Amino acid sequence: RGFTSPAGALWASADDVALLMKLYFRVDVPKGGQQILDGATLREMQLPTILLRDGTSAVGSPLEMQFMSGVWTKGKQGELPGYRSSLTMVNGLNLGIFTSALVSDVPDKTVWTLPALSLLIPAVEAALVDIRKPTKPSSLPSHWQDYVGRYLDCSVVVNVTKGGDALQLHLGNYDPAAPVLNLTDIVASSWNVTTGWGAANSNASLAAQHVLRAHPAHSKESCRWLDDGMDAELVYFMFSADRSESHSSAMYIQFMGAQFNRCT
């Protein structure tokens, strides 16, 4: 019926139009099952045929296109006496809007799909950027809860605490002037270290034995300034032989040639 019935005189609900939009978004899916058209055909259906003189509008077959908010929108409007509808999509964002009005003459020929998308496109793009941001890996070592506690060697107190996103060792009773060290897992590597508590061990083996490496928390200097030639920057967390879920905390630590027992 030509322009007197651009929707083809077909009855369609909003759910039906939503299914059509989802089909348009599946441009990378081959034909089969519920995919009634292959992706290549869907891409071809969304290509422009004529770029209009204003440089921001185009016409394809069957979609009409408008460049806005840095992307091309693609859609189609339909009108019958007493009824007007609009479908507009942004394929790169898998974003689409369908609106209908029970009047033929509306102030916006797109039935406000383009004004709505002008608000949604920047918001969705910003949300996608946040989602895709790489998350900062935690610097907390494995089993860090089992290491937290207060340890004592005669008059020297060592406190192991969770400070923000780091496990920290405080030499002294939280004295502001006392050194603060960050404790991190020993990354498995191909080289060995010889410790003051035994023979050479691989880094992976040390990590499995609850051995952490101490780094100055407030200094850019290498942790090697702790070293006296015997890998003294290594902190050993020692557990009882009958360790269980209910008694899983470290019993004592060995650090810089001294043993610090957990305070009960």
Side-chain angles (χ1 to χ4, degrees):
R1 300 183 182 182
F3 287 99
T4 62
S5 185
L10 297 175
W11 291 96
S13 67
D15 287 340
D16 295 330
V17 177
L19 291 175
L20 177 63
M21 285 193 288
K22 291 178 181 179
L23 175 65
Y24 271 119
F25 294 151
R26 296 197 298 267
V27 294
D28 296 320
V29 180
K31 182 179 179 180
Q34 294 184 343
Q35 186 76 6
I36 59 175
L37 295 174
D38 63 89
T41 299
L42 292 171
R43 287 181 185 274
E44 184 177 354
M45 290 172 63
Q46 298 176 64
L47 291 175
T49 302
I50 301 172
L51 180 65
L52 301 185
R53 194 179 296 272
D54 60 12
T56 61
S57 304
V59 178
S61 179
L63 301 178
E64 300 157 0
M65 305 166 194
Q66 182 78 36
F67 188 79
M68 56 173 288
S69 300
V71 297
W72 280 97
T73 64
K74 303 174 183 181
K76 192 70 176 177
Q77 286 76 49
E79 182 184 358
L80 288 172
Y83 175 82
R84 188 177 184 91
S85 65
S86 176
L87 177 155
T88 309
M89 303 173 293
V90 182
N91 289 76
L93 300 176
N94 284 4
L95 177 65
I97 298 179
F98 170 72
T99 57
S100 63
L102 298 181
V103 291
S104 302
D105 188 16
V106 295
D108 186 271
K109 67 177 183 178
T110 68
V111 198
W112 296 282
T113 55
L114 285 184
L117 283 173
S118 69
L119 300 175
L120 285 173
I121 290 171
V124 172
E125 288 179 331
L128 290 175
V129 169
D130 288 339
I131 292 173
R132 293 167 181 166
K133 282 182 180 177
T135 56
K136 181 182 178 182
S138 174
S139 59
L140 286 168
S142 305
H143 311 292
W144 64 268
Q145 299 94 330
D146 300 338
Y147 307 145
V148 170
R150 183 180 176 89
Y151 303 85
L152 178 65
D153 171 30
C154 297
S155 60
V156 178
V157 177
V158 169
N159 289 285
V160 178
T161 64
K162 179 180 178 292
D165 196 34
L167 187 68
Q168 295 185 329
L169 186 149
H170 301 256
L171 289 172
N173 195 19
Y174 296 108
D175 182 350
V180 179
L181 308 173
N182 286 341
L183 304 179
T184 58
D185 280 321
I186 299 175
V187 180
S189 66
S190 58
W191 53 272
N192 294 339
V193 293
T194 302
T195 75
W197 304 97
N201 291 278
S202 70
N203 280 349
S205 174
L206 288 174
Q209 297 173 27
H210 303 282
V211 182
L212 303 181
R213 190 177 295 280
H215 305 262
H218 306 299
S219 172
K220 295 182 180 180
E221 297 295 328
S222 167
C223 68
R224 303 301 294 181
W225 67 274
L226 291 171
D227 194 348
D228 62 357
M230 300 179 66
D231 292 309
E233 78 278 9
L234 298 182
V235 183
Y236 294 74
F237 288 85
M238 313 303 291
F239 295 83
S240 62
D242 58 345
R243 182 185 181 194
S244 64
E245 291 296 327
S246 58
H247 297 85
S248 60
S249 299
M251 301 298 295
Y252 61 93
I253 64 175
Q254 294 171 331
F255 177 52
M256 297 189 74
Q259 179 171 310
F260 302 83
N261 297 311
R262 177 181 288 273
C263 299
T264 57

